[in-house]
């Protein structure tokens, strides 16, 4: 439901910055979706965290340092740097808001508050490392009711702003999500067996990052394709063929790095078929993607049954990519072992997210790509070859997805098995939507899916009464909310899925 208001005294705001309708006579469209969505979640949180809480406490273990001396130095250095960075970013944020040097949207640039929050989080984790805290214990009932009160207050504030026809600040949604997550985690852990159930927080997050690796690569592939106007449903097939090719080539050559390259080539070949059939011959992109997924599933299953099982030592023993520690960074307490104790595929994931983001939003190439995905006719009139741009982007997306598929056979396990991708290509599509077709958003959404996946196992181990299937369902429910607009606007590129024929 939405309400439209027009203030008397016509006119348009000066310049590009939008002005308040109370001052200018502009027309503002106010949506109640955020208020309704947050109110429903706040009520749910009050019932779960408050009324259904128990008298037990929840324990969250912190990772122990492998090298005590190195970790102490790394923790102190990280604490000082994070403190300086938090203060600097916070001051810059405050100055920009006070001086009115805001962006076109009327707020400070999005990277500034996000970077400030990230710096504060790192500061807090470094402080725990400096204090050598090994475990944090939180009372379930007290934390639950505090979280419920904050959630209800934020929901009420959102409703008030909507009623007053004012925009809801971004910090409201971010704070709501953080408080809801804390309350949810305490409620789940406190429901486990024992007088004081506990989990390893560092282990939970590290496992979540690991499980999210193929999802990140798959969602980045989808970003590259959809930003240029091609719907890539074949991510599942690209992951699966990448895993198969990595296993076979790494086994035959006795070189895991050759297997990694083969996975990228395999994903590119799948994309080549998708690009030729959908771009050149104008076949429905969704149908082509589904057919490719089924074809590759059947092909790899057939080859596995007939070739790999007949000679597993010669065709299906690829070995593994070993984890690599980055000096100093891996010694940072809590976050060091999580982020900087990764395999080559894990580090390539970080690089891919940064490169795709900078390429799409801070280069001339990215501007052309987004122009083709939003308005191919206009892009064509300024000399951009629309179909060629689409073709090459789809191929790049396939290579990235293929590298993600190598994770299954070169990092997770050391052998290929039937349909081992397990539908993660479709999960990557959901992460792409939830991340709003943005590389950073898709990365964070993939981490959320990995977190939910890993939490299923954790709550089963500690004996929590919450069904593990509920955790498996949660990310998809959030994706539905995102698509419906209850947690913000989610709009794909305008020309996504529409073939282009030069007129």
């Amino acid at each position: 439901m939405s309400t439209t208001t027009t203030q008397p005294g016509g006119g348009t705001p000066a310049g590009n910055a939008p002005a308040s309708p109370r001052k200018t006579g502009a027309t503002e469209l106010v949506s109640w979706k955020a208020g309704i969505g947050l109110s429903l979640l706040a009520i749910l949180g009050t019932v779960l965290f408050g009324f259904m809480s128990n008298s037990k406490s929840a324990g969250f273990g912190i990772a122990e340092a492998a090298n005590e001396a190195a970790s102490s130095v790394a923790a102190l250095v990280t604490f000082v740097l994070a403190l300086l960075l938090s203060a600097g970013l916070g001051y810059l944020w405050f100055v920009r808001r006070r001086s009115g040097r805001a962006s076109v949207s009327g707020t400070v640039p999005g990277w500034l508050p996000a970077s400030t929050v990230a710096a504060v989080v790192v500061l807090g984790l470094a402080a725990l490392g400096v204090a050598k805290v090994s475990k944090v214990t939180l009372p379930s009932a007290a934390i639950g009711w505090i979280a419920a009160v904050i959630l209800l207050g934020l929901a009420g504030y959102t409703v008030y702003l909507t009623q007053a026809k004012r925009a809801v600040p971004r910090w409201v949604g971010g704070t709501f999500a953080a408080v809801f997550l804390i309350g949810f985690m305490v409620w789940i852990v406190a429901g486990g067996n024992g007088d004081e159930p506990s989990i390893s927080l560092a282990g939970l997050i590290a496992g979540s990052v690991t499980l999210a690796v193929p999802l990140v690569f798959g969602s980045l592939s989808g970003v590259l394709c959809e930003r240029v106007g091609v719907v890539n449903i074949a991510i599942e097939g690209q992951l699966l063929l990448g895993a198969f090719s990595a296993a076979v080539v790494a086994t035959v050559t006795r070189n895991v790095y050759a297997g990694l390259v083969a996975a990228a080539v395999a994903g590119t070949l799948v994309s080549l078929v998708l690009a030729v059939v959908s771009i050149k011959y104008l076949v429905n992109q969704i149908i082509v993607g589904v057919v490719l997924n089924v074809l590759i599933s059947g092909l790899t299953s057939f080859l596995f049954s007939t070739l790999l099982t007949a000679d597993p030592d010669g065709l299906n023993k690829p070995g593994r990519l070993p984890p690599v520690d980055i000096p100093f960074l891996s010694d940072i307490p809590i976050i060091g072992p999580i982020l900087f104790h990764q395999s080559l595929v894990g580090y390539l994931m970080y690089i891919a997210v940064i490169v795709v983001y900078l390429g799409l939003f801070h280069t001339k190439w990215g501007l052309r790509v987004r122009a083709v995905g939003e308005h191919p006719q206009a892009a064509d009139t300024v000399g951009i070859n629309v179909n060629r741009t689409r073709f090459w982007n789809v191929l790049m997306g396939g290579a990235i997805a293929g590298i993600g598929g190598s994770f299954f056979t070169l990092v997770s396990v050391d052998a290929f098995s039937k349909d081992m991708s397990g539908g993660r290509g479709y999960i990557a599509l959901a992460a792409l939507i939830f991340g709003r077709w943005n590389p950073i958003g898709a990365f964070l959404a993939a981490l959320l899916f990995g977190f939910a996946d890993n939490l299923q196992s954790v709550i089963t181990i500690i004996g929590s009464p919450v069904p593990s299937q509920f955790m498996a369902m949660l990310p998809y429910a959030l994706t539905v909310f995102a698509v419906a607009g209850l947690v913000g606007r989610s709009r794909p590129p305008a020309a996504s899925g529409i073939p282009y024929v030069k007129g």
Side-chain angles (χ1 to χ4, degrees):
M1 185 173 73
S2 59
T3 306
T4 304
T5 60
T6 306
Q7 298 295 334
T12 58
N16 292 326
S20 169
R22 294 185 179 182
K23 296 180 180 180
T24 65
T27 300
E28 183 182 21
L29 187 66
V30 180
S31 174
W32 282 89
K33 290 182 179 179
I36 294 173
L38 294 186
S39 297
L40 293 175
L41 289 175
I43 293 172
L44 176 63
T46 302
V47 173
L48 295 179
F49 314 150
F51 293 105
M52 296 182 64
S53 62
N54 54 43
S55 58
K56 292 193 282 187
S57 295
F60 298 91
I62 307 300
E64 295 183 0
N67 186 328
E68 190 67 32
S71 294
S72 298
V73 174
L76 183 59
V77 173
T78 304
F79 177 81
V80 173
L81 292 178
L83 180 62
L84 295 175
L85 187 60
S86 300
L89 290 172
Y91 176 75
L92 180 61
W93 186 0
F94 175 78
V95 168
R96 288 182 70 91
R97 289 190 66 88
R98 287 293 301 271
S99 63
R101 289 188 295 138
S103 65
V104 175
S105 61
T107 60
V108 294
W111 65 266
L112 187 53
S115 301
T116 305
V117 171
V120 172
V121 171
V122 173
L123 177 64
L125 295 177
L128 292 177
V130 172
K132 295 182 174 11
V133 176
S134 60
K135 185 177 180 180
V136 176
T137 303
L138 300 173
S140 174
I143 295 297
W145 280 111
I146 291 174
V149 171
I150 295 176
L151 293 176
L152 291 172
L154 291 173
Y157 181 59
T158 302
V159 172
Y160 164 75
L161 291 178
T162 306
Q163 181 66 34
K165 303 177 180 59
R166 294 164 56 188
V168 179
R170 291 183 178 181
W171 66 264
V172 173
T175 305
F176 189 97
V179 173
F180 192 94
L181 179 61
I182 293 173
F184 183 74
M185 288 298 300
V186 172
W187 174 67
I188 269 191
V189 174
N193 298 326
D195 295 332
E196 188 180 294
S198 62
I199 63 172
S200 172
L201 185 60
L204 174 64
I205 300 176
S208 303
V209 173
T210 301
L211 291 174
V213 170
L215 302 181
V216 173
F217 280 105
S219 61
L220 289 178
S221 174
V223 168
L224 283 174
C225 293
E226 295 213 23
R227 278 289 182 178
V228 84
V230 178
V231 177
N232 185 8
I233 303 295
I235 297 175
E236 177 74 8
Q238 292 165 347
L239 292 175
L240 189 57
L241 191 60
F244 177 85
S245 302
V248 173
V249 173
T251 304
V252 172
T253 61
R254 303 299 177 188
N255 189 319
V256 290
Y257 301 103
L260 185 63
V261 174
V265 173
T268 304
L269 290 177
V270 178
S271 282
L272 179 62
V273 178
L274 173 64
V276 170
V277 176
S278 62
I279 297 175
K280 181 176 178 58
Y281 295 104
L282 307 181
V283 179
N284 186 283
Q285 298 167 8
I286 296 177
I287 293 176
V288 175
V290 172
V291 169
L292 284 174
N293 288 338
V294 176
L295 173 64
I296 293 169
S297 176
L299 177 63
T300 54
S301 297
F302 171 76
L303 294 176
F304 173 78
S305 301
T306 57
L307 296 180
L308 272 62
T309 55
D311 186 14
D313 292 332
L315 294 174
N316 200 17
K317 292 292 182 182
R320 290 189 178 183
L321 287 167
V324 178
D325 289 335
I326 296 182
F328 182 79
L329 294 179
S330 62
D331 293 322
I332 299 175
I334 307 173
I335 60 176
I338 295 172
L339 300 179
F340 306 111
H341 179 72
Q342 296 284 339
S343 66
L344 176 60
V345 177
Y347 292 122
L348 286 176
M349 174 187 70
Y350 300 147
I351 295 173
V353 172
I354 296 172
V355 170
V356 173
Y357 175 78
L358 293 178
L360 282 178
F361 297 104
H362 296 279
T363 66
K364 188 176 182 179
W365 167 81
L367 181 61
R368 292 180 175 180
V369 166
R370 289 181 286 126
V372 169
E374 291 291 344
H375 203 305
Q377 289 83 4
D380 195 4
T381 59
V382 296
I384 299 174
N385 190 316
V386 173
N387 285 336
R388 180 187 297 172
T389 304
R390 288 185 169 184
F391 193 90
W392 286 111
N393 257 56
V394 172
L395 292 186
M396 284 190 292
I400 289 177
I403 294 174
S406 69
F407 170 86
F408 298 110
T409 48
L410 300 183
V411 178
S412 181
V413 296
D414 58 353
F416 179 82
S417 59
K418 286 185 179 181
D419 294 323
M420 68 184 310
S421 54
R424 286 177 176 82
Y426 301 107
I427 300 175
L429 283 172
L432 163 68
I433 296 171
F434 192 63
R436 302 181 186 180
W437 292 266
N438 184 292
I440 303 297
F443 171 72
L444 296 176
L447 291 181
L448 173 63
F449 278 65
F451 178 80
D453 193 9
N454 197 33
L455 193 57
Q456 292 181 66
S457 304
V458 172
I459 63 177
T460 302
I461 294 173
I462 66 176
S464 177
V466 179
S468 60
Q469 294 82 357
F470 174 79
M471 292 307 306
M473 174 197 73
L474 186 59
Y476 300 98
L478 292 176
T479 303
V480 172
F481 288 148
V483 175
L486 294 179
V487 292
R489 187 181 180 188
S490 183
R491 185 189 67 84
S496 181
I498 302 175
Y500 178 71
V501 180
K502 188 176 180 67

